[in-house]
Amino acid sequence: MRRGRRSGCFTIVAVHSTARGPALGGCRLWHYVDSRAAVRDALRLSRAMTFKSAVAGLPLGGGKGVIMAPDPVVAGEREWRSDALLDFGDTVESLGGDYVTAEDVGTSSRDMETIALATRHVTGLSRRLGGSGDPSPWTALGVQAGIEVCCERVFGTRSLAGRTIAISGLGNVGGRVATACAEAGATLLVSDIDPRKRALAEGLGARWAEPDAVLSAPADVFAPCALGGLLDHESVLRLGAPIVAGAANNQLAGDEVASLLMERGVLWAPDFVVNAGGIINISVELEAGGYDPRRAGELVRGIGTTLERIFDDAAAGGVSPLEAAMVLARARLAEAAGG
Ligand code: NAD
């Protein structure tokens, strides 16, 4: 790192990949309790990105960059933010293209522009600069396709009209999922820790729930669109919906929770399958012909077909959707490593 003007601010890039092609992963600007928590999260997320790319059939590995910065409230984020992003760009550049970064929680297209001052290996730049722009609308599109497939399995129809959908997290993705579900005629129950999101909820005619209550509220679908780790041995028993399908990465506190969900009769759409829309869109940016939003749309809508296959494989093998998705991912990684 060339800059490093603040001692509390450093970056971690984790790459977990056995695929050919660069590891593609978002850049997360988040506050961690300590460096161990940051490394753990970077490793967990890079693993998820590897499986996400493999299941989506992309010629990419998986990686994740975590920027460890001072507490934004205490230290005044404006002061250090661009230095942190430039430091991150230096780290990415030093990997020589083995890792390509993009947006994730806490970062935007504008942040990618700052990172691009230090490295060429950055995607998700604005359309104005020749990039594919914010990946969130594409992630939301994939999540919507996933919710529809789940509804077909459980209720016999993909239509969301009249369904009650509980959404946790009304951010870049969750806000768009909520808007799309409202437009499709669903009744919404939403929550966010940020009270400013109440305005969006009101605009959509959605009921507001406290963050602790939304998971157990009676609904047809629960869509976690905030942060990961919320499904554990205890919370699974409180779920109020027979379907869980949402954008949040790493929703399960541990892989064994997938079996608990199955035992409880809850259909869980593996997060790394349904939230792949953003990375699928970005992968089009890396194709020889350059970025084409129409092609991106077709590929992202394919998430529905992938999820159907995973549910079919799971039913045929008597295993959880997580296990079926991992079998598919490992087969594709083995093919890439040997092919
Ligand atoms: P975001 O930061 O824009 O939104 C997250 C929202 O969740 C914020 O409004 C935040 O206030 C809220 N939140 C945080 N903790 C909460 C809690 N306990 N209860 C309720 N709300 C809470 O992030 P995003 O880009 O919308 O991403 C959401 C999730 O989807 C993340 O897990 C992210 O890793 C995952 N994801 C995002 C993309 C993408 O394209 N942005 C792609 C794949 C996966």
Side-chain angles (χ1 to χ4, degrees):
M1 258 179 265
R2 278 185 270 123
R3 291 170 187 85
R5 285 174 204 150
R6 295 197 59 109
S7 57
C9 165
F10 61 92
T11 61
I12 297 159
V13 173
V15 175
H16 175 286
S17 173
T18 50
R20 297 209 168 153
L24 184 61
C27 153
R28 183 171 281 224
L29 190 61
W30 194 251
H31 183 70
Y32 291 92
V33 179
D34 56 32
S35 55
R36 258 187 294 183
V39 171
R40 222 180 3 249
D41 204 31
L43 290 172
R44 236 167 31 101
L45 291 164
S46 62
R47 178 176 182 265
M49 294 305 286
T50 299
F51 294 131
K52 187 184 303 197
S53 292
V55 168
L58 303 178
L60 297 166
K64 187 63 76 171
V66 166
I67 297 178
M68 215 172 133
D71 186 324
V73 179
V74 177
E77 183 174 335
R78 262 190 222 155
E79 244 182 68
W80 52 260
R81 190 178 178 97
S82 50
D83 277 356
L85 292 169
L86 289 168
D87 276 354
F88 184 74
D90 286 345
T91 309
V92 171
E93 183 62 22
S94 73
L95 297 173
D98 285 344
Y99 174 75
V100 179
T101 197
E103 292 98 334
D104 196 358
V105 171
T107 56
S108 64
S109 286
R110 276 185 66 182
D111 294 325
M112 297 306 112
E113 289 175 26
T114 305
I115 292 172
L117 297 173
T119 181
R120 291 155 293 155
H121 308 299
V122 52
T123 54
L125 292 171
S126 64
R127 296 298 308 278
R128 179 174 52 83
L129 295 176
S132 60
D134 180 5
S136 309
W138 302 96
T139 304
L141 182 65
V143 170
Q144 190 189 350
I147 290 174
E148 287 169 358
V149 166
C150 289
C151 284
E152 185 170 50
R153 295 281 155 150
V154 173
F155 304 115
T157 168
R158 286 186 183 216
S159 171
L160 302 184
R163 295 271 157 246
T164 300
I165 302 187
I167 301 176
S168 165
L170 283 187
N172 289 319
V173 181
R176 289 182 169 91
V177 170
T179 305
C181 291
E183 282 169 6
T187 300
L188 297 183
L189 179 70
V190 298
S191 91
D192 200 293
I193 51 168
D194 182 350
R196 289 172 300 181
K197 299 293 162 74
R198 274 179 183 264
L200 172 61
E202 278 165 25
L204 295 173
R207 274 183 300 140
W208 183 265
E210 288 312 312
D212 288 349
V214 71
L215 176 137
S216 50
D220 295 316
V221 179
F222 172 54
C225 295
L227 297 182
L230 82 169
L231 296 174
D232 58 24
H233 289 71
E234 187 271 323
S235 63
V236 161
L237 303 177
R238 292 190 289 113
L239 274 169
I243 293 171
V244 179
N249 274 316
N250 290 330
Q251 289 165 21
L252 306 185
D255 286 358
E256 72 286 355
V257 178
S259 309
L260 279 181
L261 285 159
M262 205 169 114
E263 281 162 25
R264 276 216 61 210
V266 174
L267 184 65
W268 180 66
D271 40 21
F272 58 91
V273 178
V274 293
N275 72 12
I279 202 163
I280 291 173
N281 178 58
I282 284 173
S283 75
V284 176
E285 208 179 303
L286 300 174
E287 287 184 355
Y291 183 63
D292 173 3
R294 255 199 321 204
R295 177 162 162 73
E298 273 166 31
L299 293 176
V300 172
R301 275 185 280 275
I303 286 175
T305 311
T306 305
L307 188 62
E308 284 183 308
R309 174 183 169 175
I310 286 166
F311 286 156
D312 286 345
D313 289 354
V319 298
S320 70
L322 174 66
E323 212 170 312
M326 296 294 272
V327 167
L328 177 60
R330 290 205 170 99
R332 289 197 170 143
L333 286 169
E335 205 180 300

